[in-house]
Amino acid sequence: TDFLTFIAGLPQRPNVPTLPPTSSPTATPAPTPDPEDNTCELDAVITCEVVGGPDFAACDQLMKPKSEICDIDDLPRELEFRYVRGNCPGTAVTFPPINCTGNAGLERVWILIESNSNVLYNDLTEEGGFIDLRGVGEILEVEIYSLFNNRPSDIIIQSMTINANCTPGNNLRLGNTWGGLELIEFTTVVDDVRETNSALAAVEMTYTVTTETALKAIVTSASSNSDFDGMKTYTPPSTPINERDTIILGEEKATIDLMNPSQSSFDFNLNANGISFANSSPCTGGSETFSFSIRE
């Protein structure tokens, strides 16, 4: 014991061994880049939409009509016509006979339809255009005008009344025409059961491509093959697309006869090719198929 240090009241210095200095941490080496991280990926998408005809139907829900004539002895919930041009009285045999005068022979017209003093339809209509009517009363009052600056002129080229009650004598049959109007759909509600019978369905196909990675991509070529328009080649934009960006390549429209379809199923495919904007390496993916059938 150090006597002098103890007497002075000072503690002794501890006998602690000297530790070597701690070395600096070693940095973890960066991982080797995954080649797949540098590969762009394209996603080809085919979208099918029913844009006219059966309400609330998807393409894979299209079906032949269960009944071609509306004969429930009551008013329909909805009626849908198509403008087809035509003279009076058309092919429909109604009782009592319709009151029809004039000739709707123009490709583009203005159609006004009223029932119970309510306007059900009032719009410019082209040949083949669908006319959806809700709130139908006993009688439909129809006036078809020529156009002036895409608005109705003062000239009525056809006017008629249609008995819209679903009695057998009124012959509300799919495919029948009243002047320039063809009945293509009727919807009824019996015992709270809703039923829609359609003669036609207007279907629109849309072809798009998008990227699935963070890498920018350039779509270099794209083509489709469908039962609507056959083979098609598209010219994509030359600018790169970012992640989740979408390019609309093209659209197709067709009207399908549901009563007598030319074929029971329809097939579509889309192929798109591209390269990475960063290193010009080929993108993966870019292929899609789609099909639907007309159900019995």
Side-chain angles (χ1 to χ4, degrees):
T1 302
D2 190 333
F3 179 78
L4 294 176
T5 302
F6 177 79
I7 291 298
L10 299 177
Q12 289 182 335
R13 299 177 61 183
N15 185 18
V16 178
T18 302
L19 297 177
T22 304
S23 59
S24 301
T26 303
T28 303
T32 303
D34 188 344
E36 294 186 359
D37 292 340
N38 295 320
T39 302
C40 54
E41 182 179 355
L42 298 180
D43 186 20
V45 179
I46 302 174
T47 304
C48 182
E49 183 181 5
V50 179
V51 295
D55 291 339
F56 313 113
C59 293
D60 58 358
Q61 295 174 337
L62 292 175
M63 61 186 301
K64 293 182 178 181
K66 295 180 180 179
S67 176
E68 295 184 12
I69 187 168
C70 190
D71 57 0
I72 62 171
D73 282 327
D74 199 355
L75 289 173
R77 184 61 58 90
E78 297 177 29
L79 291 177
E80 188 162 14
F81 291 89
R82 177 172 66 154
Y83 176 60
V84 293
R85 299 195 291 178
N87 291 317
C88 296
T91 60
V93 179
T94 62
F95 183 83
I98 64 173
N99 177 19
C100 182
T101 58
N103 175 23
L106 302 177
E107 292 184 3
R108 300 172 74 247
V109 295
W110 191 280
I111 299 179
L112 170 64
I113 301 178
E114 297 180 311
S115 184
N116 293 337
S117 299
N118 296 318
V119 175
L120 305 185
Y121 184 85
N122 187 26
D123 207 350
L124 189 156
T125 307
E126 297 185 355
E127 183 178 10
F130 288 18
I131 303 167
D132 189 18
L133 305 178
R134 306 185 183 190
V136 175
E138 291 276 350
I139 299 295
L140 299 178
E141 301 282 352
V142 182
E143 292 180 342
I144 302 179
Y145 296 81
S146 61
L147 294 175
F148 180 75
N149 290 334
N150 290 328
R151 296 293 300 173
S153 71
D154 295 331
I155 301 174
I156 300 176
I157 61 175
Q158 189 172 78
S159 63
M160 56 187 158
T161 59
I162 302 174
N163 194 323
N165 204 317
C166 287
T167 59
N170 287 333
N171 206 21
L172 287 176
R173 180 183 294 275
L174 296 176
N176 275 357
T177 59
W178 289 259
L181 301 182
E182 176 190 15
L183 181 65
I184 61 170
E185 180 182 295
F186 60 84
T187 299
T188 57
V189 177
V190 178
D191 296 330
D192 295 327
V193 177
R194 179 187 177 97
E195 181 177 287
T196 296
N197 291 278
S198 301
L200 302 173
V203 177
E204 181 176 275
M205 309 299 300
T206 304
Y207 300 98
T208 61
V209 62
T210 185
T211 59
E212 289 295 310
T213 62
L215 295 177
K216 291 182 179 181
I218 298 176
V219 181
T220 55
S221 64
S223 62
S224 64
N225 188 10
S226 81
D227 283 337
F228 283 1
D229 290 353
M231 288 285 298
K232 275 188 175 181
T233 301
Y234 306 101
T235 303
S238 58
T239 55
I241 56 176
N242 297 312
E243 183 180 13
R244 302 301 180 184
D245 282 351
T246 298
I247 295 176
I248 299 177
L249 298 170
E251 296 176 340
E252 296 175 348
K253 293 182 180 179
T255 299
I256 300 174
D257 185 344
L258 298 178
M259 292 196 297
N260 301 291
S262 59
Q263 58 194 81
S264 59
S265 62
F266 299 84
D267 299 316
F268 310 84
N269 67 67
L270 173 64
N271 290 290
N273 301 302
I275 59 174
S276 168
F277 178 71
N279 53 28
S280 298
S281 61
C283 297
T284 61
S287 180
E288 174 77 342
T289 61
F290 181 84
S291 64
F292 68 87
S293 301
I294 308 301
R295 299 186 296 173
E296 296 288 339

